[in-house]
Amino acid sequence: MYVVLLEYIKPLAEVDYALPEHVDWLNKQYEAGRFLASGRQVPRVGGVIIVRPMPRGRLDALLATDPFAQQKLARYRVVEFEATRTAPELAKVNEAVST
């Protein structure tokens, strides 16, 4: 699994202008079953996305399609981890990794 940390590198006014496109992109990733959770950091300096397991190259290619990346509004830090314990709601994610 991955935790993706977005850091805004442009003013919030520019980020807000691209936000509807970014939300559409997020929605497509949820519909495809790729993302588990996402939201703004507090304070609002960027965002966080929790991503299901996938090859790292695939994730990098996917992040490159984010309007925030394409418009150079954010930089991304990807943290990969192996979930060894999860809440019952996430048990299926953990099972998918081990099969």
Side-chain angles (χ1 to χ4, degrees):
M1 296 178 67
Y2 300 93
V3 174
V4 179
L5 303 172
L6 286 76
E7 176 188 355
Y8 300 141
I9 56 175
K10 296 288 183 169
L12 281 178
E14 292 181 47
V15 171
D16 286 342
Y17 185 78
L19 192 58
E21 293 174 74
H22 174 71
V23 170
D24 287 344
W25 176 81
L26 287 170
N27 289 338
K28 289 177 186 170
Q29 307 320 313
Y30 280 105
E31 289 169 11
R34 297 179 184 115
F35 291 176
L36 295 171
S38 60
R40 295 178 178 170
Q41 292 185 41
V42 178
R44 191 174 172 211
V45 295
V48 178
I49 305 170
I50 300 176
V51 183
R52 289 182 182 273
M54 66 176 66
R56 175 61 191 264
R58 183 172 163 208
L59 175 60
D60 291 339
L62 181 64
L63 294 175
T65 67
D66 180 358
F68 282 179
Q70 294 176 333
Q71 296 176 41
K72 297 180 176 32
L73 298 172
R75 99 175 28 106
Y76 300 76
R77 180 170 171 245
V78 177
V79 178
E80 183 174 2
F81 73 101
E82 292 183 22
T84 56
R85 186 171 180 185
T86 60
E89 299 89 335
L90 293 178
K92 290 182 183 179
V93 173
N94 216 14
E95 289 171 12
V97 175
S98 61
T99 57

